[in-house]
Amino acid sequence: LKELIAKLYLLKAYDITAFAHKIAKRTPSDWEKKAADWRETLSEKYIGENGECTIAMQTAVAMLLAFRIGNDRTALENQLFSVIKRDNYQLRAGMVGFQYIYHVLSDIGRGDLAYRLLTETEPGYKTWCSYGETTLWEEWDGEDRGSHNHHMYSGVISWFFRSLLGIAPLENAPAFEKIELKPIFIESLQYAKGCMHTVRGKIEANWIFRDGKFVYSVTIPKGVC
């Protein structure tokens, strides 16, 4: 798994460099080719004949989906569902996997499953909430040890904004010039409310489940579309 993560991060560097060239209005073709070639290499190494990841772990499958590895996304999506079910709907990932698994599940229409992993996994975020904590800890069971103000497991916070509130900046429109509003609605949660402070002003969003339907509202600053 560590080897796969390292190779995917190299791909991420290629993608970011190609994107930086586009922003600078320079030809990114060389870097795009490096990324395409590396994706093919990773696909050959980590995708089996059945279209599934050869490493049947939550982080591995989620990251292949996030980095667009392989040609059969349906096979990988079904494998991710299967792996999560095998793991009894408990989150079995580390601080790297946390950055991807929630977003991937939301992107493939299973935000409800992301929420289930978040709220039912023990030890996990649920453990901290049971102690009445409002900060992130260094360890799941660190009531009497480790830091109680730690960044390591904070990847889920971006999911709160992007998926629960539905506020997602677009890659081709930097600095929140344009945003995509694509919230996930979870009936058992009943409501979500929050705001994001951006360089263009505050974006507020909320939704509530009422009378059998979801009502979503958002307030965006002038200049954002």
Side-chain angles (χ1 to χ4, degrees):
L1 178 60
K2 290 181 179 179
E3 179 183 285
L4 171 59
I5 291 172
K7 291 180 177 179
L8 286 171
Y9 274 10
L10 177 57
L11 174 59
K12 185 175 184 178
Y14 288 154
D15 284 338
I16 290 173
T17 304
F19 180 66
H21 275 65
K22 286 182 179 179
I23 294 296
K25 301 188 184 304
R26 298 176 62 181
T27 303
S29 56
D30 288 346
W31 292 102
E32 288 178 340
K33 186 178 187 307
K34 285 179 183 289
D37 290 345
W38 195 233
R39 275 191 169 83
E40 184 63 29
T41 298
L42 294 179
S43 179
E44 292 175 357
K45 183 173 178 61
Y46 294 104
I47 299 292
E49 293 182 359
N50 59 0
E52 295 184 350
C53 178
T54 55
I55 303 174
M57 300 175 67
Q58 292 180 23
T59 293
V61 182
M63 289 186 73
L64 288 191
L65 283 165
F67 283 86
R68 308 187 307 281
I69 306 298
N71 297 318
D72 190 350
R73 288 188 63 83
T74 299
L76 286 173
E77 290 172 6
N78 289 336
Q79 183 186 18
L80 183 58
F81 301 149
S82 177
V83 168
I84 291 173
K85 182 178 180 180
R86 179 202 66 193
D87 294 338
N88 295 315
Y89 298 95
Q90 297 288 291
L91 185 62
R92 295 293 177 257
M95 61 180 180
V96 174
F98 289 174
Q99 299 175 53
Y100 300 98
I101 191 167
Y102 296 115
H103 293 296
V104 165
L105 286 170
S106 293
D107 289 343
I108 61 181
R110 291 304 308 270
D112 62 309
L113 189 51
Y115 179 71
R116 182 173 180 179
L117 289 175
L118 173 64
T119 56
E120 294 186 10
T121 297
E122 292 188 277
Y125 298 103
K126 180 180 180 180
T127 309
W128 299 341
C129 288
S130 70
Y131 292 132
E133 293 297 311
T134 57
T135 59
L136 302 172
W137 291 7
E138 183 177 0
E139 300 179 55
W140 295 128
D141 56 351
E143 184 178 15
D144 299 314
R145 65 179 186 277
S147 168
H148 284 193
N149 186 15
H150 212 75
H151 180 66
M152 188 164 64
Y153 296 134
S154 65
V156 70
I157 295 175
S158 64
W159 181 77
F160 290 161
F161 289 98
R162 181 180 290 270
S163 293
L164 278 186
L165 293 181
I167 303 171
L170 296 179
E171 186 178 87
N172 61 355
F176 289 86
E177 181 181 355
K178 296 180 180 179
I179 60 174
E180 180 182 32
L181 298 175
K182 194 177 180 181
I184 61 166
F185 299 129
I186 301 171
E187 186 174 337
S188 60
L189 184 58
Q190 293 291 302
Y191 78 95
K193 180 180 181 180
C195 66
M196 178 183 292
H197 294 272
T198 77
V199 295
R200 298 179 185 274
K202 184 168 69 172
I203 301 174
E204 299 179 88
N206 69 83
W207 57 260
I208 187 170
F209 182 70
R210 184 170 54 204
D211 300 328
K213 62 182 180 181
F214 291 97
V215 179
Y216 179 61
S217 62
V218 61
T219 302
I220 61 177
K222 185 178 181 180
V224 177
C225 59

